[in-house]
Amino acid sequence: MTTPSILARTLAAAAAVAVLAACSSGGDEPAGLDDTPTAAPTNEPSGDPAAGQDAEAAALDAYERYWDARIQSVNGPDDSPDAFAGVATESTIALHQQTARTYEQEGITFTGEPRVYDTTVSIDGEAGTVTSCVDDGAWVGSQNGEPLPVNPDKPTVYPVQFQLLFLDDSWLIGDPIEVEGDVSC
């Protein structure tokens, strides 16, 4: 094959990629997701997670950083995905970004922080769960400067549970899941 022929095919391939990229639609994607860090997690297994206590310690560290990011997101409100990078899955990040945007639009802010305690981690291979108790008593919300009314149907202390996923060589907090079993706080 001659050099002009190779050059012509390379240019044709590059043009096709450019056309496909230009035609792809980002209209259905929630706003702000284009700010997701370039090291966004995939849903593909990424290798062998550390075993035993090392895996549990790494998952617990991710969970603690997740709560730090969640508090920052709500207290701001701050819809930046940066605090969640390397801590949560894309769907969890998107959920918190949308919540922060809604709070900002509605004039809702929080002060203080919840107490997260009695945390347990359960890992099976590259997936697991993390369960803990949350006491929202010191995490106080207001709307446009006025205290938010207390929801009588929601207890101040309650259990939470989240997916744990080992993606891109780290443990990430996934979606919240229904707490099952005898978890009491």
Side-chain angles (χ1 to χ4, degrees), residues 6-178:
I6 293 172
L7 181 60
R9 287 184 184 190
T10 302
L11 290 174
V17 169
V19 168
L20 287 174
C23 291
S24 67
S25 171
D28 294 332
E29 185 175 282
L33 287 184
D34 57 342
D35 294 335
T36 302
T38 56
T42 64
N43 287 325
E44 297 298 317
S46 60
D48 294 327
Q53 291 181 335
D54 289 343
E56 288 181 16
L60 184 58
D61 178 63
Y63 187 62
E64 289 169 356
R65 291 184 295 132
Y66 161 79
W67 274 99
D68 290 343
R70 183 173 177 174
I71 292 165
Q72 176 183 329
S73 174
V74 171
N75 284 11
D78 179 3
D79 69 352
S80 169
D82 296 343
F84 291 100
V87 174
T89 61
E90 289 182 38
S91 63
T92 301
I93 293 170
L95 173 72
H96 288 294
Q97 285 182 291
Q98 184 58 48
T99 298
R101 283 187 200 108
T102 300
Y103 284 3
E104 186 173 19
Q105 292 168 356
E106 298 294 324
I108 297 172
T109 59
F110 279 77
T111 58
E113 59 185 60
R115 179 175 160 243
V116 180
Y117 62 99
D118 287 348
T119 301
T120 59
V121 174
S122 175
I123 295 175
D124 184 13
E126 294 184 345
T129 58
V130 59
T131 307
S132 62
C133 292
V134 176
D135 181 346
D136 277 350
W139 206 13
V140 180
S142 63
Q143 185 171 19
N144 300 319
E146 296 294 322
L148 286 174
V150 176
N151 181 347
D153 297 328
K154 182 183 177 226
T156 306
V157 178
Y158 53 92
V160 295
Q161 190 170 54
F162 296 88
Q163 297 172 327
L164 274 174
L165 301 168
F166 189 73
L167 302 170
D168 296 331
D169 296 323
S170 62
W171 287 101
L172 301 176
I173 305 306
D175 295 333
I177 53 179
E178 181 97 20

